[in-house]
Amino acid sequence: MRVLCAQLVVSSLLALTQAFYIPGFSYKSYRDGETIPLLVNKVYSDYSELQYAFAKLPFVCPPTGRIRAGHITSGTSISLNLGEVLRGDRIVVSDYELVMGVDTEARYLCSQTIDLEGIQRAKVLIRDGFVAEWIVDNLPGATSFQTIDKSRKYYAAGFKIGDETRVAPGGPAEYLLNNHVTLVIRYRRAPGKDGDKGKKVIVGFEVFPRSITANARTEAGLPEQIEGDHEPLVLAPQANGTNTAGTDSEPTALTIPYTYSVYWREDERIEWQNRWDMYFVAQDDSTNVHWLAIVSSLFICGLLTAVLPVVLTRTIRSDIKGHKDTALVGLSKTGSQISSPKREKGNLLGPMADLDTDGIESDDDTEDITGWKLLHGDVFRAPPYGGMFAPLVGSGMQLLYMAFGLLILSTLGVLNPSFRGGYVSVGVGLFIFAGIFSGYFSARIYKTCGGRSWQKNVVITAALVPGLLFATVFVLNLFVWIQASSTALPFGTLIALVLLWLFVQLPLVYAGSWFGFERMGAYTHPIRANAIPRQIPDQRWYLKSGQRLLLAGFVPFMVIFVELMFVVKSLWVDKTTYYYAFGFTGVVSAVLAITVAEVTIVATYFLLCSENYHWWWHSFAIGGSSAIWVYAYLVYCYFSKLHISGFVSSILFFTYGALASGLYALLTGTIGFLAAYAFVGRIYGAIKLD
């Protein structure tokens, strides 16, 4: 009986694993004659940050509610994950009928009559270059192209809904609506046992749109001949439209007949697991550019790495040695017993505790005690506004864990283009559950800075980044909602985000803060701060706020410049392509982290040498200073490379760009602070006498 029960459990698990579809890893096979649903999603453009649900456009065929494959009714909205909702997806089952292996030369879908307002809406979308996204078997319908040497074919996701043309140069523009689509679906034999049963898998989905006039149609609504040239359908009121103003007036409506053709083509050259490669063929030539970027980044990082051990290490070691020798001489002159130093409880400095740097005699033996060595009694003084500094570092640690998790999952292929919305959904999940690390580090730094009310710090830490993001998205959502765009978040999604913060992240931050504050306590420092702070001398020009941020931030920006260029191109310039080079991004991110740490250490050393002990905020600002250059590059792209137009689209671009730059600054600023904290603790811990 035990063996039988074990076999039943294993069989059930195998059945569940076969039934569970994992995008990018699990395939779905179809039999000949099986109906496959075609899903319509949205329309989007390079010229706009707004997207619109395809099924709600006034000039397309509305769903009729007919039953489709798997008892799915056309017009049914597909359940979406959080990432899909945030990226503006609105996926609906359409009336298009696709039967596996059955070619359809021409089929009538419907006739849609639109008024002048609908005609104008279609013209605006065509003028702004909007393309439609349809989905079959999780593959977006693609427009196929040839490479420059015509040796390879590649896909660009989406297809044009129409074209703008001019009869004569300089004449008025005419807008042609694509009312016929030829769907070419490529398939191959399914792997494994499904293939032995005659099942097939889909490896390609191509869409070829055409504009065919509404005239010369059969009773079934089909053109008399599908093949060959046809007069296009011009978006202008015609006599075939319903004339609501009377027979003697001009026509005020247009009736649009929609038709489609379906062809199935077997393609054994494409493996199912490689079917997304067709969308990346056009980007393969950029591989050499990615490697060049990595080499240049490693070169910059290598230069900094050479500066740190060769220059700083030797200089600091000589300073420490000179400081110890001078301290010993000073102690011997005052009659102190070196062999039995007096050590107070909690003072790690030993005999140096009795030295007041303000009272050191200015003789030949003490003239070498200058620069950063004078700050041993002030360098670990709590920074001003520590109640805000701790939540910033805690939130930066939260982003750091999230970014690390996303890079690992992306490099391993868990997050891939077939997992629609997965990058955003997993990112939000990692960010929320990383709240425990945010609370832990924030609470310990908060206690190190002298804070006592850790519950207050919990609220600030938990609400800082999510509150800023939610408030910004909520305000922008009002602008998008007025435009009737699918990018507008539903009210239910906003409520769900609030509940996630309230019942998941806030308790995690509370738990991490309690453990960090009550159990672990404050970080210990090798030197106790003096009661009276030193006076900071005037700083040199390159250590002033504006100059130091621009100079220090330029080096990390150069490390990520090429990769940033590809990311911007994928997100805003070529919205019909997918960014895929996560392996390159992981390498560049690692080099960036090292570069930020090294730049911050160098800048912190210069600051301490100028007898300025306010390095806490300084290191955080230096670490995140490259965000200034990142946002400046986004502004440059907006005016020189992007085609975005319209007030709302511009507001969305600049605001979301500022949010992305701010989060980047928070993440890199935290890396910079951690590096400076370790550096300062190491050099000042080394000057204590044994």
Side-chain angles (χ1 to χ4, degrees), residues 126-142:
I126 294 174
R127 182 198 63 194
D128 292 341
F130 275 81
V131 297
E133 181 182 294
W134 292 358
I135 303 170
V136 171
D137 192 46
N138 203 38
L139 275 181

Side-chain angles (χ1 to χ4, degrees), residues 279-290:
Y279 296 88
F280 305 138
V281 171
Q283 305 178 43
D284 288 345
D285 296 335
S286 63
T287 302
N288 294 332
V289 181
H290 281 287

Side-chain angles (χ1 to χ4, degrees), residues 450-652:
R452 297 181 179 180
S453 178
W454 64 274
Q455 293 88 348
K456 177 182 177 182
N457 183 67
V458 168
V459 177
I460 297 176
T461 303
L464 181 62
V465 174
L468 177 63
L469 291 175
F470 184 84
T472 305
V473 170
F474 182 79
V475 173
L476 293 179
N477 201 58
L478 298 178
F479 290 93
V480 178
W481 176 75
I482 295 174
Q483 300 293 323
S485 171
S486 64
T487 315
L489 298 181
F491 182 74
T493 302
L494 296 176
I495 296 298
L497 292 175
V498 173
L499 294 178
L500 279 175
W501 174 82
L502 185 62
F503 293 105
V504 180
Q505 177 173 332
L506 186 58
L508 289 174
V509 174
Y510 184 92
S513 297
W514 174 84
F515 184 78
F517 193 90
E518 298 290 347
R519 294 292 183 179
M520 302 304 295
Y523 290 102
T524 58
H525 299 141
I527 300 176
R528 187 174 59 185
N530 291 335
I532 302 175
R534 288 177 54 87
Q535 184 177 359
I536 300 174
D538 293 336
Q539 302 296 293
R540 297 181 180 180
W541 67 271
Y542 54 82
L543 292 175
K544 295 182 180 178
S545 300
Q547 292 87 335
R548 71 185 180 189
L549 293 180
L550 291 177
L551 290 174
F554 185 72
V555 179
F557 173 73
M558 291 303 298
V559 170
I560 65 169
F561 173 72
V562 176
E563 207 63 32
L564 176 65
M565 182 177 62
F566 280 101
V567 173
V568 172
K569 187 174 184 295
S570 297
L571 293 179
W572 284 293
V573 180
D574 299 329
K575 292 185 178 180
T576 57
T577 61
Y578 297 88
Y579 185 77
Y580 73 102
F582 295 111
F584 294 109
T585 304
V587 175
V588 173
S589 299
V591 177
L592 171 66
I594 296 173
T595 304
V596 168
E598 292 175 342
V599 169
T600 307
I601 289 174
V602 173
T604 302
Y605 177 71
F606 287 156
L607 184 76
L608 296 177
C609 288
S610 64
E611 301 180 18
N612 188 342
Y613 54 85
H614 292 310
W615 60 271
W616 298 71
W617 282 104
H618 172 268
S619 61
F620 189 87
I622 289 296
S625 59
S626 56
I628 301 173
W629 293 96
V630 171
Y631 191 69
Y633 177 72
L634 294 179
V635 175
Y636 164 76
C637 289
Y638 175 84
F639 290 103
S640 63
K641 295 184 178 181
L642 303 183
H643 308 132
I644 297 175
S645 60
F647 174 76
V648 176
S649 295
S650 300
I651 289 295
L652 291 176

Side-chain angles (χ1 to χ4, degrees), residues 19-32:
F20 187 70
Y21 175 73
I22 304 176
F25 295 93
S26 305
Y27 65 87
K28 191 172 184 180
S29 57
Y30 304 92
R31 294 186 178 90
D32 286 337

Side-chain angles (χ1 to χ4, degrees), residues 130-166:
F130 275 81
V131 297
E133 181 182 294
W134 292 358
I135 303 170
V136 171
D137 192 46
N138 203 38
L139 275 181
T143 303
S144 61
F145 296 94
Q146 294 285 339
T147 55
I148 297 177
D149 57 1
K150 297 184 179 180
S151 61
R152 292 174 297 174
K153 182 173 72 172
Y154 67 93
Y155 288 162
F159 62 93
K160 299 172 66 175
I161 64 175
D163 291 284
E164 180 181 359
T165 184
R166 297 182 186 272

Side-chain angles (χ1 to χ4, degrees), residues 422-468:
Y423 202 82
V424 178
S425 298
V426 174
V428 172
L430 290 175
F431 179 81
I432 289 176
F433 286 104
I436 190 168
F437 302 107
S438 172
Y440 172 79
F441 288 101
S442 177
R444 294 200 66 183
I445 295 176
Y446 178 73
K447 193 168 186 178
T448 303
C449 295
R452 297 181 179 180
S453 178
W454 64 274
Q455 293 88 348
K456 177 182 177 182
N457 183 67
V458 168
V459 177
I460 297 176
T461 303
L464 181 62
V465 174
L468 177 63

Side-chain angles (χ1 to χ4, degrees), residues 266-333:
E266 187 173 6
D267 195 339
E268 295 292 339
R269 298 171 299 176
I270 305 175
E271 298 287 343
W272 183 89
Q273 61 269 22
N274 299 326
R275 63 179 186 167
W276 280 89
D277 291 351
M278 294 293 293
Y279 296 88
F280 305 138
V281 171
Q283 305 178 43
D284 288 345
D285 296 335
S286 63
T287 302
N288 294 332
V289 181
H290 281 287
W291 282 115
L292 179 62
I294 290 177
V295 171
S296 62
S297 301
L298 290 174
F299 178 75
I300 296 173
C301 183
L303 289 178
L304 290 173
T305 306
V307 169
L308 283 176
V310 174
V311 179
L312 288 184
T313 305
R314 292 182 179 179
T315 304
I316 291 173
R317 283 180 178 175
S318 62
D319 287 347
I320 292 174
K321 183 179 179 181
H323 184 83
K324 288 183 177 181
D325 294 341
T326 305
L328 290 172
V329 172
L331 286 172
S332 63
K333 285 186 176 183

